[in-house]
Amino acid sequence: MAEFDSIEIVDGLTESTNRVSLKAVFSQFGMVEVCWVPPPHLRQQEHAFVRYGSKEIAAQALEACQNGIVYLDGLMLRAQMRVQNGGGKSGKGGGRGGGGGRRPRSRSSSSTPPRQREIARRRRAGGNRGRDSRSRSRGRRDSRGRGHRPRYSGRGSRVPTW
């Protein structure tokens, strides 16, 4: 891969600019391998970029931007060459780096006191909680036997048939 095969769009993007429209504009110079546009809330800190398969195509696209003939959403696009293996703002390698932002909290750093965490855990787990292995409700049901409910005749009368 060439060292300067990408161009960075430094000005001319609107909030409604998306990757598809940017790629369509820059495809007129050659095959676009990668096109990345940052989310709208990050466009002041990060720049969009377009990567081509060759250095020559990237140079043509950059020259067109510098001559003021590349427009998107009614605005002229300003661009510069993007260095991929150097430092600085644009040297992130793939463009999407960053890693997500928030780290997950460990369980021990919870704001809930340990005793209350234990109580909540027991409630969620259910189980016997120190009782017999047989459920209390099952014991009551078994002690009644099979005929604990009165039987009714099938004709609608509510008289037990004992």
Side-chain angles (χ1 to χ4, degrees):
M1 187 182 320
E3 187 176 345
F4 295 108
D5 62 349
S6 300
I7 59 173
E8 189 173 57
I9 315 306
V10 294
D11 192 27
L13 298 181
T14 64
E15 287 186 6
S16 63
T17 302
N18 59 26
R19 185 184 66 82
V20 175
S21 61
L22 187 66
K23 184 176 180 178
V25 167
F26 282 99
S27 291
Q28 65 184 337
F29 302 105
M31 171 118 175
V32 174
E33 286 187 356
V34 177
C35 179
W36 185 75
V37 177
H41 66 278
L42 293 177
R43 292 189 185 173
Q44 297 299 320
Q45 295 93 7
E46 297 183 32
H47 296 155
F49 71 90
V50 177
R51 184 169 66 211
Y52 292 98
S54 71
K55 178 180 175 181
E56 294 78 25
I57 297 173
Q60 288 176 353
L62 177 65
E63 184 180 345
C65 288
Q66 290 172 342
N67 291 336
I69 59 172
V70 181
Y71 285 82
L72 179 62
D73 297 330
L75 297 173
M76 183 177 69
L77 297 179
R78 287 190 0 192
Q80 64 187 22
M81 285 303 244
R82 180 170 185 259
V83 180
Q84 290 190 0
N85 59 354
K89 196 179 241 189
S90 63
K92 292 185 179 176
R96 290 201 187 204
R102 283 188 55 165
R103 290 177 35 197
R105 284 191 331 189
S106 67
R107 290 184 185 257
S108 63
S109 66
S110 172
S111 62
T112 308
R115 173 74 179 142
Q116 290 183 353
R117 281 198 307 264
E118 178 67 20
I119 292 169
R121 185 184 63 77
R122 284 183 183 167
R123 282 188 192 131
R124 285 191 302 269
N128 295 333
R129 290 188 220 142
R131 294 191 191 129
D132 255 356
S133 63
R134 292 181 64 174
S135 168
R136 292 171 72 179
S137 63
R138 181 177 181 150
R140 267 189 256 126
R141 185 180 41 197
D142 288 347
S143 67
R144 289 184 190 160
R146 289 182 155 245
H148 72 277
R149 295 182 72 196
R151 296 180 188 215
Y152 301 108
S153 65
R155 302 244 167 158
S157 67
R158 298 300 230 170
V159 179
T161 59
W162 300 349

